[in-house]
Structure formats: C-alpha cells, structure tokens
Amino acid sequence: YVMSLLDSLQKDMVAAMKAKDKGRLATVRMLKAAVTNEQINVGHDLTPDEEVSVLSRELKQRKDSLEEFKAAGRDEAVQKLEEEIKVVEGYLPKQLSADEVKAVVEETINQVGATSKADFGKVMGAVMPKLKGKADGKLVNSTVMSLLNK
C-alpha cells in the first residue's frame, strides 16, 4: 500500500501537533488544504502527477515570495518561508542537480531536433513533463536557453 499524499500530510500533521512544532504544523495544514481544494476542483482523488503539480505550485509561490521578502529586507519572513520551503520540498520527489537537468535537456533538444532559440517553446514543451516536480522551472528555462544559444 502506497500512502497517499493526503494520508502522509494527515499523519505528519498529528506528529507536528504532538511535537508542538507550530511552524511545520502550519505548513502541513496549508499543503493539506491545497491538496484537498485541488481534489474538489478536479472532482476525483489526485493522481501522483496531480499531487506533484499542487506541491510544485505551493513551492513556487513560496520561492517567489522569498525573493520579494529578501529584496524588502524582511528577515523574519524570509526565515519563516525558508522553513516552509524545506517542509514542502520534503513531500516532492528528489530534486535533480543542474547537471542532471542539463543531460535531460540535451537529450530532449536532440529528440525534437531543436537548432536555435526559435525552438525554445518546442523544447520546453517536451522537457517540462519529464522534469515536472523534479527540477525548478527557472533552472530548466535557463538551461534550455543556454544550450540553444550555443
């Protein structure tokens, strides 16, 4: 039996309550709400891919906010977000290294026969499903750009 994301979140919520880990508890609650809302929106239990999509979206929102808070010098908020990001990442598949991402992108460029920047969209369209939830979109984007600029 593979534990669903909701089951894991529920179990971790109870553990965080017992440990009186308020930060983790709040983040796990938010993730659980996001997953539940997505389930209501799509009208069925989420597939593993859909679960990864929800988690990736939550992670991206936090990373975007993190940049804004850093720029604004809001250190307290930055620290809180960094902790939340660690919690969210704990539920995602292991993230690929920059080298691993580069290898997948190179392979994809060859598969779609991309030769120039004009093929950027075609490459991104083919590579994102392979890397979904396993690599940051910005990293994939910049890797595709640099490889197509050769």
Side-chain angles (χ1 to χ4, degrees):
Y1 168 73
V2 177
M3 196 182 284
S4 80
L5 180 59
L6 273 178
D7 293 340
S8 301
L9 290 168
Q10 181 62 41
K11 193 181 80 180
D12 293 347
M13 217 167 76
V14 171
M17 276 185 229
K18 284 182 181 164
K20 294 186 174 36
D21 184 344
K22 287 191 177 125
R24 184 171 182 83
L25 177 61
T27 306
V28 172
R29 267 202 183 118
M30 278 189 272
L31 290 175
K32 189 168 181 246
V35 171
T36 306
N37 289 338
E38 186 68 15
Q39 242 173 252
I40 293 165
N41 290 341
V42 296
H44 60 79
D45 285 352
L46 300 185
T47 65
D49 269 356
E50 289 168 330
E51 290 178 347
V52 167
S53 289
V54 174
L55 291 170
S56 297
R57 192 169 57 225
E58 291 294 312
L59 187 61
K60 182 180 182 332
Q61 285 170 357
R62 284 170 177 78
K63 284 187 171 173
D64 291 347
S65 299
L66 186 66
E67 295 310 311
E68 289 167 29
F69 288 155
K70 277 183 179 169
R74 294 184 51 196
D75 298 339
E76 201 174 293
V78 166
Q79 197 179 347
K80 183 176 172 280
L81 270 173
E82 284 173 340
E83 287 168 18
E84 285 185 16
I85 286 170
K86 277 194 195 109
V87 173
V88 179
E89 284 175 340
Y91 293 101
L92 278 164
K94 188 181 162 297
Q95 298 294 292
L96 298 175
S97 71
D99 288 341
E100 291 169 313
V101 169
K102 188 175 177 213
V104 173
V105 171
E106 282 173 340
E107 181 190 324
T108 306
I109 287 174
N110 293 334
Q111 281 172 348
V112 299
T115 52
S116 71
K117 274 193 266 192
D119 298 317
F120 179 78
K122 190 161 59 166
V123 175
M124 285 300 286
V127 84
M128 281 317 285
K130 296 179 188 177
L131 294 173
K132 191 175 189 174
K134 295 184 200 149
D136 183 57
K138 283 182 189 154
L139 173 64
V140 176
N141 193 320
S142 62
T143 306
V144 171
M145 275 308 232
S146 70
L147 289 171
L148 287 178
N149 281 340
K150 277 185 184 165

